[in-house]
Amino acid sequence: MKATARAHPNIALVKYWGKRDERLILPHQSSLSVTLGPLSVTTTVEFHAQRGDDVVQINGTLARDGERARVVSVLKLVRREARAAGRRAPGLAHVTSAGDFPAAAGLASSAAAFAALAVAARVAAGLPRDVRAESVLARQGSGSACRSVQGGFVRWNRGARADGRDSYGEQLFDAGHWPDLRLLVGMVSREEKEVKSRDGMRNTVATSPYYPAWAKDAEVEVKRLVPLIRRRDLEAVGELSERNAWRMHATAFAARPPLCYLKPETLSVMQACGRLRKQGVGVWFTLDAGPNPVLLTSARDEARVAAVLEGHGAASVVRCSPGGDVVVS
């Protein structure tokens, strides 16, 4: 009873920021992301017949406390699903997970990790592949993970049910839809965030006076974004993505205490995008809850944009294009 799955992180073009249900991880609004290849997390789950405590190893270190608890909670859901399907309930689990990019730096490492975990655990337990079930399961480990089960452009549907069954990631366009799109990650910091995303969300929802307007606006922006991606309109997609990123971070700035994930180099890159556009370069930024900006551009302008990132404080540049679905081995 063993399986390995490899998943990519994603970058939200319309952000997920805030939960209406903390336990089930249900969002206040829908979101839409693009999966980032070649960045990835590979997770192996092996179930043993004996009983005992699950062993969770992340990037070569035994997971403890809340980090371990999140993984164990997903394993418990898989055991429950296996019993409901009439299968032998899996016993002790040994989980190993490793990523090829920094964790907790605003690059959705948990999204890739829990997407890989959800798929690997279900396969190891003998359950059939089911993209929606995998997405719902991944969501309960890390919200944005529901958008990493599939590649390309994925919408996380807010849903309306109290049990969360209608809140899942849905692929709108596959990884091959926009072959010319490039997403360049400027690594201005590899440090772990002082405030984790889930804590930042909770505080923003509870204390920011801008939050209700944010949630309403973001839901509308998802609907606006879909036809722009369909026609591969880089300028329109870029403008909407920048606007949504500014508004998410403005909502966090207004929390009590103020929450700022940006570093001076982050702002330098963001301002450089506007100057580049005046020079005829098609480039726009987006930014999740972390300091590392992701620039949307085309294959034609990729080299120039990478050079600008390096010139504005990025220690390294990770060149990405739309990534694919979770792969099982």
Side-chain angles (χ1 to χ4, degrees), residues 90-175:
L92 169 69
H94 191 155
V95 178
T96 58
S97 183
D100 56 14
F101 60 99
L107 289 176
S109 57
S110 63
F114 278 96
L117 173 66
V119 174
R122 291 185 82 258
V123 172
L127 295 167
R129 290 295 310 271
D130 182 323
V131 170
R132 183 178 295 192
E134 291 162 354
S135 181
V136 169
L137 177 63
R139 187 203 74 223
Q140 294 174 81
S142 174
S144 56
C146 75
R147 298 190 311 242
S148 277
V149 172
Q150 292 180 286
F153 298 84
V154 179
R155 178 178 60 207
W156 178 3
N157 299 304
R158 176 191 186 276
R161 293 176 58 118
D163 63 8
R165 291 184 182 179
D166 59 350
S167 184
Y168 58 91
E170 176 186 7
Q171 186 184 68
L172 302 180
F173 307 97
D174 65 21

Side-chain angles (χ1 to χ4, degrees), residues 193-273:
K193 297 179 290 189
E194 291 183 9
V195 180
K196 294 185 180 297
S197 295
R198 59 176 49 207
D199 296 328
M201 286 184 192
R202 186 181 300 114
N203 188 53
T204 302
V205 173
T207 67
S208 176
Y210 300 164
Y211 191 79
W214 151 261
K216 182 178 180 181
D217 178 74
E219 189 71 45
V220 173
E221 293 283 67
V222 169
K223 296 177 183 177
R224 290 175 178 154
L225 184 56
V226 175
L228 306 182
I229 296 172
R230 179 178 292 112
R231 64 175 185 257
R232 296 182 285 276
D233 187 333
L234 178 60
E235 180 176 1
V237 170
E239 288 179 352
L240 191 153
S241 300
E242 278 197 2
R243 180 170 70 236
N244 185 260
W246 276 122
R247 291 176 180 178
M248 186 202 98
H249 284 272
T251 304
F253 296 158
R256 190 175 64 250
L259 177 62
C260 181
Y261 288 109
L262 313 185
K263 292 187 178 294
E265 296 86 354
T266 312
L267 285 168
S268 179
V269 170
M270 293 160 74
Q271 292 170 340
C273 287

Side-chain angles (χ1 to χ4, degrees), residues 9-27:
N10 64 76
I11 183 70
L13 305 178
V14 175
K15 310 298 182 186
Y16 148 57
W17 193 243
K19 308 177 185 70
R20 70 180 191 274
D21 186 306
E22 289 278 344
R23 184 179 65 85
L24 293 175
I25 311 186
L26 300 177

